[in-house]
Amino acid sequence: MRLREISHRIVNERDSRVTRNDVISAMCFYINRLAGKCKDIVDIMNKMSYKDLDDQQMQQLSRLKELLCGIVDGAKDVETEPSRIVEQGMVSDIWMTESLEVEPIDSCNDDIPLGETQIVAIEDKQAVAEARLANQYCDMSHVKHSISWPPNGSLTLEWVVEMMKTLELSSRNYTPSEFQLIMPVSVVDSILNVAASILHKEPNCLEIDCHGEVSNVVIVGDIHGHYHDLLHLFELANFPSESQYYVFNGNYVDRGAWGLEVFLVLLAWKILMPDRVYLLRGNHETRFCTSSYGFEKEVRTKYGEQGEKVYHRCLETFKELPLAAIIAGKVYTTHGGLFRKPCNPDVQNDKETRTRKLEIGSLQDLSKLERFFVDIPTKDEDPNIILADVLWSNPSKVDGLRENQARGVGLLWGPDFTEAFLKLSNLKLIIRSHEGPDSRDGKIDFDDMIMGYSTDHDIESGKLYTLFSAPDFPQFGQKSYCNEGAYATLKHPDFETPSFHTFKAVDKPKIDICYFGCEGHDLDLDLTLMALADAVSSNNSSPIEIHSGVDFEALGILNPPSWSITLTDDATGTQNVPIPKAPVVEGLPLPPSIEEPHKAAYEYFLELIAGLKFMLQTTENKNKIHISHRKRKKCN
């Protein structure tokens, strides 16, 4: 503060002359600043619910509000007539309470210096007054850093940068439950509303045309709540600007303590520079993931009773996020990867839907997708199943295009289909994210992502890269892999040769992981369990009609196996459990040389065997998840 700087100059004998105007200027600056923060507190108090307060608490709040309003009104007088600070002793009128008083400074010539004792006394009494206000009125002093939405609703670069700094300071000095005083719900609503209206108008696949411009495009992978590392990334790569685009590949939240800060800051940048900052959706921008991997609990912790509202507003904004981008007509970037050609909605034959050969989808198919779902479709016959593919698919070193049976959602595609997609779309590169060091752990045929990026396919038409931007991942839930983060830069004029920049994690505040979940889930296991639940529910918990399409009597089979199994459990007794359909059936389609009725019987038995294998696998995975949950309870 200016007043404190003046005091220090005298104490350290750097300046022996401090004039009357110096003090007036310093006090005007401080009083106006204090008045602005007091007004923020009054605004918060006007929105508070008082129904649970007793008479004494109401009197205290009323007294506090009266004091704050007095400060604001007094500051207006100072602004119009600053000399009253000295002439009428307004220092004590404005920010001192009860018996805490500062003696008026005598009116004197502007050139007469003030003594050291006077200045230090003012500073000491100021500190005492602030401390008394903090202790007497529920420690509300920390809201002096609260964020206010601009009165005209227009964001500026200064506002966004100040928001970033304020949230960083908040993360180091206040508990998660105090976050709502720093970032009021009204400001969150404004950011989400304005950003959602911008995102909703954008197509599924963005076309970022930066030809003819001397510009860079920075591509960022998974961030997962690593807010401080995001700030460091901006320091390294520089802020978005007219000559620097940013494309973020999703997964802003979960697995880290500051997912809300990450998401809100990026939305603020989107509002400020909608044609330079592009935000894509990741698989964690869904209800399923955020309810299991920390973000929902983070929001509820930070906003208490209003947490449910804020969380659902975030979910509604997630579904507005675009899915992919084409940069300079040459680079395809997305979160997960490639996608299938959707099935014909006119096809009603369930068997044909299950056995048809997967084909690679086109950018035109992607453009027709209905993307505005809070959660992803999981049924193959749903024409919007490619939403799951875009968010969840992974590359493979083995040629082909197939369902990701281990996860129960998304696809696995080989180098041949990367080649096919690049040729089909007339592109040179694919830069995707979705996989970090945890996903690559144990996959000896892929890079381990410890450097934050990897080259997964290098084929004739171009290359496929995976990019991950959360160093020292994860913050909690599993062991940290001590990995580096990375971002990619595409440069004018060709934008075809990415340069990758790695960075280490920065210092972060210590966190109480019990705020966000003690031990993370295994995502693959949870997804498989979700697929099992979906399969069972689609069967309505009853056996499939075993004679459908199969004439077992003609084959001499009088007692064919059914799609249910009898299980005995000590807790529930004997139950008739339906066997779920597996997402992938090995052995199908059958060769055309096999004729009916044998063909239908073979298909029946292959599907039944696949269902049994899938059931065993998911039951084992469910047991592992239960063990994980029991360990997590130790934290709670």
Side-chain angles (χ1 to χ4, degrees):
M1 287 178 233
R2 296 180 187 177
L3 183 60
R4 184 166 290 133
E5 290 172 1
I6 292 171
S7 304
H8 288 331
R9 291 209 308 266
I10 296 175
V11 170
N12 296 322
E13 298 182 350
R14 291 195 296 267
D15 195 342
S16 60
R17 297 181 62 81
V18 179
T19 67
R20 175 175 178 272
N21 283 344
D22 288 333
V23 175
I24 291 175
S25 175
M27 293 306 300
C28 284
F29 170 82
Y30 182 70
I31 290 169
N32 287 332
R33 183 175 178 182
L34 178 63
K37 303 310 176 183
C38 289
K39 186 177 183 302
D40 291 342
I41 300 174
V42 172
D43 292 340
I44 293 173
M45 293 178 69
N46 288 336
K47 298 174 183 178
M48 289 173 57
S49 172
Y50 300 99
K51 62 180 182 179
D52 296 326
L53 300 182
D54 57 31
D55 291 342
Q56 183 180 359
Q57 291 171 326
M58 287 293 295
Q59 289 176 2
Q60 288 177 336
L61 284 175
S62 176
R63 185 182 178 192
L64 173 60
K65 187 174 180 180
E66 182 180 353
L67 171 66
L68 296 174
C69 291
I71 293 173
V72 175
D73 293 339
K76 294 177 182 177
D77 294 335
V78 171
E79 187 173 358
T80 58
E81 198 173 352
S83 62
R84 291 183 60 199
I85 296 176
V86 173
E87 294 169 357
Q88 299 183 18
M90 265 189 94
V91 172
S92 62
D93 293 341
I94 294 175
W95 46 264
M96 292 298 166
T97 64
E98 299 177 4
S99 61
L100 289 175
E101 296 179 357
V102 176
E103 295 184 6
I105 302 173
D106 294 335
S107 296
C108 54
N109 187 287
D110 290 353
D111 294 329
I112 298 177
L114 297 173
E116 173 183 334
T117 304
Q118 288 176 293
I119 296 295
V120 174
I122 291 174
E123 182 179 358
D124 290 344
K125 290 188 176 183
Q126 169 192 328
V128 172
E130 290 179 343
R132 289 193 59 175
L133 280 176
N135 293 330
Q136 186 171 356
Y137 299 107
C138 307
D139 194 21
M140 294 186 68
S141 59
H142 52 290
V143 295
K144 58 187 175 184
H145 295 293
S146 64
I147 297 168
S148 301
W149 187 249
N152 61 1
S154 298
L155 300 191
T156 62
L157 176 61
E158 292 75 17
W159 189 92
V160 175
V161 172
E162 183 64 25
M163 172 189 175
M164 294 167 62
K165 292 179 179 177
T166 300
L167 294 182
E168 198 277 340
L169 182 66
S170 167
S171 72
R172 297 185 183 277
N173 292 284
Y174 309 117
T175 65
S177 60
E178 293 177 306
F179 183 81
Q180 58 187 307
L181 298 177
I182 309 301
M183 175 64 80
V185 172
S186 60
V187 179
V188 176
D189 282 342
S190 297
I191 293 175
L192 295 176
N193 287 335
V194 176
S197 65
I198 296 172
L199 296 168
H200 186 80
K201 298 173 185 177
E202 294 183 332
N204 293 340
C205 186
L206 302 160
E207 293 188 14
I208 303 175
D209 184 9
C210 41
H211 282 300
E213 300 182 30
V214 181
S215 58
N216 296 333
V217 181
V218 178
I219 304 174
V220 182
D222 298 31
I223 302 173
H224 280 302
H226 286 230
Y227 179 64
H228 306 83
D229 295 315
L230 172 64
L231 299 185
H232 183 50
L233 189 154
F234 279 136
E235 290 177 359
L236 297 173
N238 295 320
F239 287 149
S241 65
E242 288 302 313
S243 61
Q244 179 144 289
Y245 295 74
Y246 267 85
V247 179
F248 294 87
N249 273 356
N251 277 17
Y252 312 110
V253 303
D254 284 339
R255 312 294 294 276
W258 300 282
L260 189 57
E261 287 88 332
V262 168
F263 190 50
L264 292 176
V265 162
L266 293 182
L267 290 179
W269 276 110
K270 179 64 180 177
I271 295 169
L272 178 65
M273 308 189 74
D275 58 350
R276 290 296 184 271
V277 176
Y278 296 96
L279 309 179
L280 307 183
R281 188 176 185 179
N283 64 300
H284 277 265
E285 278 71 63
T286 58
R287 189 201 317 270
F288 168 71
C289 281
T290 54
S291 63
S292 301
Y293 299 98
F295 182 65
E296 180 182 7
K297 190 169 184 180
E298 174 192 344
V299 174
R300 291 182 183 275
T301 298
K302 290 178 177 177
Y303 281 97
E305 293 181 354
Q306 301 182 87
E308 183 174 2
K309 171 193 171 185
V310 175
Y311 173 61
H312 285 287
R313 289 288 293 109
C314 289
L315 291 180
E316 290 299 312
T317 307
F318 288 160
K319 72 180 186 182
E320 305 291 348
L321 294 165
L323 305 175
I326 302 296
I327 302 171
K330 298 179 180 181
V331 181
Y332 171 76
T333 183
T334 189
H335 180 72
L338 303 189
F339 48 91
R340 75 192 78 191
K341 189 174 187 62
C343 64
N344 187 341
D346 297 329
V347 175
Q348 301 296 326
N349 189 319
D350 189 46
K351 182 185 297 185
E352 182 176 345
T353 300
R354 293 196 311 271
T355 60
R356 75 184 185 92
K357 185 178 180 181
L358 288 174
E359 301 177 60
I360 195 71
S362 66
L363 294 177
Q364 185 178 11
D365 294 326
L366 183 59
S367 68
K368 296 177 181 178
L369 167 69
E370 172 62 50
R371 79 172 189 257
F372 303 107
F373 295 98
V374 172
D375 273 319
I376 58 173
T378 57
K379 299 182 184 299
D380 291 348
E381 62 271 19
D382 192 320
N384 296 306
I385 187 65
I386 63 175
L387 173 59
D389 296 343
V390 171
L391 300 183
W392 285 96
S393 294
N394 287 329
S396 169
K397 293 294 187 179
V398 179
D399 281 347
L401 183 68
R402 56 198 177 277
E403 303 270 3
N404 189 338
Q405 187 172 6
R407 278 195 162 178
V409 63
L411 303 174
L412 294 172
W413 82 92
D416 55 336
F417 275 89
T418 294
E419 176 76 17
F421 180 79
L422 291 177
K423 283 185 176 179
L424 177 67
S425 309
N426 193 28
L427 299 171
K428 299 294 184 182
L429 291 176
I430 299 174
I431 300 179
R432 44 90 64 175
S433 298
H434 188 46
E435 291 184 283
D438 58 332
S439 297
R440 292 291 176 86
D441 193 2
K443 294 184 178 180
I444 59 175
D445 51 345
F446 278 102
D447 290 340
D448 57 16
M449 295 298 294
I450 296 300
M451 296 299 293
Y453 70 97
S454 70
T455 304
D456 296 335
H457 294 163
D458 187 350
I459 33 85
E460 180 181 352
S461 295
K463 294 182 179 181
L464 164 69
Y465 297 99
T466 293
L467 179 66
F468 194 77
S469 303
D472 276 1
F473 180 80
Q475 285 183 27
F476 49 78
Q478 297 173 350
K479 68 175 183 179
S480 173
Y481 285 85
C482 300
N483 61 294
E484 296 185 1
Y487 62 92
T489 303
L490 302 171
K491 295 185 177 181
H492 177 86
D494 60 12
F495 299 97
E496 292 183 13
T497 307
S499 56
F500 292 90
H501 311 267
T502 62
F503 59 96
K504 296 183 181 295
V506 298
D507 176 61
K508 300 178 181 65
K510 292 183 178 180
I511 57 173
D512 183 349
I513 59 177
C514 290
Y515 276 121
F516 309 103
C518 180
E519 182 176 349
H521 301 267
D522 184 316
L523 189 54
D524 288 337
L525 300 188
D526 276 8
L527 282 167
T528 308
L529 191 59
M530 180 181 72
L532 173 61
D534 184 68
V536 172
S537 63
S538 68
N539 290 338
N540 297 317
S541 299
S542 60
I544 295 174
E545 179 58 45
I546 64 172
H547 294 290
S548 177
V550 183
D551 187 358
F552 283 108
E553 291 185 2
L555 296 170
I557 300 175
L558 302 180
N559 187 26
S562 69
W563 278 78
S564 64
I565 185 171
T566 301
L567 298 176
T568 301
D569 183 84
D570 292 339
T572 59
T574 301
Q575 287 186 319
N576 194 41
V577 180
I579 299 171
K581 289 185 179 180
V584 175
V585 179
E586 296 172 325
L588 295 181
L590 295 171
S593 58
I594 301 178
E595 299 179 352
E596 298 294 355
H598 299 89
K599 181 179 180 181
Y602 288 153
E603 289 176 346
Y604 179 91
F605 287 121
L606 287 173
E607 290 176 353
L608 181 59
I609 292 169
L612 286 168
K613 289 175 63 177
F614 183 58
M615 187 176 187
L616 288 171
Q617 180 187 29
T618 50
T619 300
E620 176 64 19
N621 290 340
K622 182 178 180 180
N623 292 335
K624 291 180 179 179
I625 292 174
H626 284 166
I627 294 172
S628 174
H629 286 176
R630 286 196 296 270
K631 291 180 180 179
R632 188 180 300 109
K633 287 181 180 179
K634 296 179 181 179
C635 179
N636 297 327

